[in-house]
Amino acid sequence: MTTTATRPGARVRAAIAARTLRTDRWWLAPLITVIGLGGWVAYATVRVFMHDFYWVEDYHYLTPFYSPCITDRCIPEAAHFGTYLPGWWIIPEAAFSLPLLLLFRLTCYYYRKAYYRAFWMSPPACAVPDGHKTYSGETRFPLIFQNAHRYAFYAAGLISVVNTYDAILAFHSPDGFGFGLGNVILVGNVVMLWAYTISCHSCRHIIGGRLKHFSKHPMRYRAWTFVSKLNVRHMQLAWITLGTLALTDFYIMAVSAGWFSDLRFIN
Ligand code: FES
């Protein structure tokens, strides 16, 4: 096999004993990623298998971690799209959306960079050696499936529509229309989810890729310009949406469990 070191004319690494010459805190970003992503996954796992405190009956708040609610254990009012699966403990209420969202985030270009660096140390940072002796990129099983990201994007768009529907239904109170702090949180989460989804690199390519002349496609050019502005914030939106998802879920759990009441502005 031809490697970088054996390829004719290839440069080899200078004979430096130190693993890296970097003296800054290059390890801080991977460490923050491990803590942030690890903590979020732990919280989400506990919540998904709690099978409780996901619905606020008075205000029709449904947490995104349980949407769409499709097992026969779902509270009937929370099952907006029907129940199709048995209510076994191992099956999450959102058994349709969670795997697709997991696929979307796992194959996201930003998250790939983040977890390759933080969890796989491949490499942990620029100018820091890889934690592994060999490197095959994403050309082989299983990482070749990272190419499925473009398809996961369509699924994530569909689930964002469902989340938007949930947020609209939540303008409810026992007297009819209602508006509270829960609505602000639900709508804020949905707006951020759309921003993250639209800022996806695949979305940018779908909208503006493979065009020879932007001048002949002014609408697509405008859309591409808008998506490009969001795209440069993709990393921030990836983290912000983890925050808004956890906040939305925690708030609905707290109100549902009776830890505190929803702050109501109207009804
Ligand atoms: S690149 Fe991150 S969601 Fe598509």
Side-chain angles (χ1 to χ4, degrees), residues 104-105 107-111 149 153 196-197 199-203 231 234:
F104 185 52
R105 299 246 171 187
T107 57
C108 163
Y109 294 12
Y110 165 66
Y111 284 116
H149 184 67
F153 163 75
Y196 169 69
T197 307
S199 71
C200 168
H201 293 66
S202 292
C203 175
N231 181 258
H234 193 59

Side-chain angles (χ1 to χ4, degrees), residues 75-243:
I75 296 166
E77 293 76 12
H80 301 141
F81 299 94
T83 55
Y84 310 98
L85 296 176
W88 301 342
W89 182 85
I90 196 68
I91 300 181
E93 270 62 37
F96 169 70
S97 59
L98 290 180
L100 293 174
L101 289 176
L102 190 63
L103 183 71
F104 185 52
R105 299 246 171 187
L106 269 181
T107 57
C108 163
Y109 294 12
Y110 165 66
Y111 284 116
R112 271 144 79 173
K113 174 190 137 185
Y115 67 76
Y116 286 166
R117 288 189 171 191
F119 289 91
W120 195 239
M121 297 195 298
S122 184
C126 293
V128 178
D130 202 292
H132 306 267
K133 285 204 168 64
T134 56
Y135 174 77
S136 60
E138 294 174 331
T139 58
R140 297 183 195 163
F141 178 85
L143 294 185
I144 192 145
F145 285 110
Q146 300 283 28
N147 282 308
H149 184 67
R150 68 199 76 171
Y151 306 110
F153 163 75
Y154 293 111
L158 181 67
I159 294 162
S160 290
V161 171
V162 173
N163 291 148
T164 306
Y165 181 71
D166 293 340
I168 293 169
L169 288 188
F171 286 96
H172 175 90
S173 82
D175 299 326
F177 177 81
F179 177 53
L181 181 57
N183 296 103
V184 175
I185 292 173
L186 275 161
V187 171
N189 177 53
V190 161
V191 169
M192 286 296 124
L193 285 179
W194 274 116
Y196 169 69
T197 307
I198 290 171
S199 71
C200 168
H201 293 66
S202 292
C203 175
R204 186 167 175 264
H205 178 71
I206 289 163
I207 288 179
R210 296 200 287 181
L211 290 181
K212 284 200 168 56
H213 307 285
F214 270 136
S215 58
K216 292 189 179 153
H217 304 274
M219 293 303 293
R220 286 182 69 179
Y221 177 65
R222 277 176 177 236
W224 178 83
T225 306
F226 174 71
V227 167
S228 296
K229 283 182 186 156
L230 283 177
N231 181 258
V232 293
R233 301 265 176 262
H234 193 59
M235 178 184 81
Q236 290 89 334
L237 289 166
W239 283 102
I240 288 170
T241 47
L242 289 186

